[in-house]
Amino acid sequence: MTCYDRRDLGLLLLRLGTGGALAAHGAQKLFGWFGGGGIEGTGQFMETIGYAPGKASATAAGLAEAGGGALLALGLATPAAGAAAAGAMAGAAAVHAPNGFFNQEGGYEHAATLGLTAAGLAVTGPGRLSLDRVLGHSADRDWMVVAAFATTAAATAVVVGARSRRLRKAREGEQEALFD
């Protein structure tokens, strides 16, 4: 086995593991599978953490995770798939950021790991063991990486920014306790 073959096998393993985890996470939101809340339950939860409207937020996050994850696992439209998944994980990381980095404390470690791996795959490409290669890389061109990340970054900034403004506005009327 040559170095090139090992790299392709490594990319396949990264795509399957990361894509599979993202797809399952998205299926929880969209369909209620694997103990998830489905659109209704996830939508209600999204409202409580500042993503509104809740059902639309749950649908968008679920599609980015499930769709991006499935496409990553297949190695199809890799730039768009990785960017979409990374954007969804940036939104999740924003929720967990106040808890610090480590997952055991409710931090953003897991979301950051999935998002950065998805982004890395989008930039690196899927390797030879992929549907992108079978289809002649028609949905995996260099310019698509830049376009996918620019679009995702803009959308993520708008969504996370709107959430931050909602949370700030909700806290404006609250007064902190003077004494503990």
Side-chain angles (χ1 to χ4, degrees):
M1 186 177 274
T2 67
C3 232
Y4 192 71
D5 294 321
R6 286 179 29 217
R7 185 182 65 141
D8 290 324
L9 185 57
L11 288 170
L12 174 64
L13 291 172
L14 280 170
R15 286 193 350 259
L16 291 174
T18 303
L22 286 161
H25 199 62
Q28 289 180 305
K29 289 177 176 66
L30 294 174
F31 312 116
W33 296 352
F34 314 115
I39 294 293
E40 192 67 38
T42 304
Q44 291 171 4
F45 172 71
M46 294 291 242
E47 290 274 349
T48 68
I49 59 172
Y51 286 116
K55 281 186 181 180
S57 297
T59 302
L63 288 173
E65 292 170 7
L71 290 173
L72 271 179
L74 295 169
L76 181 60
T78 304
M89 292 299 98
V95 172
H96 294 281
N99 300 323
F101 178 72
F102 293 104
N103 196 50
Q104 70 191 26
E105 302 294 327
Y108 63 94
E109 174 184 17
H110 185 65
T113 300
L114 287 174
L116 288 169
T117 304
L121 288 166
V123 170
T124 303
R128 291 189 304 174
L129 303 172
S130 66
L131 287 180
D132 274 338
R133 180 173 183 262
V134 169
L135 298 173
H137 294 280
S138 59
D140 178 31
R141 306 271 188 224
D142 287 345
W143 66 267
M144 293 175 181
V145 174
V146 175
F149 277 105
T151 303
T152 299
T156 302
V158 167
V159 170
V160 172
R163 174 185 178 263
S164 294
R165 285 187 298 280
R166 270 190 222 84
L167 293 176
R168 248 189 335 271
K169 188 173 182 174
R171 285 191 301 258
E172 282 178 355
E174 297 175 12
Q175 183 177 349
E176 292 185 32
L178 296 175
F179 304 100
D180 286 327

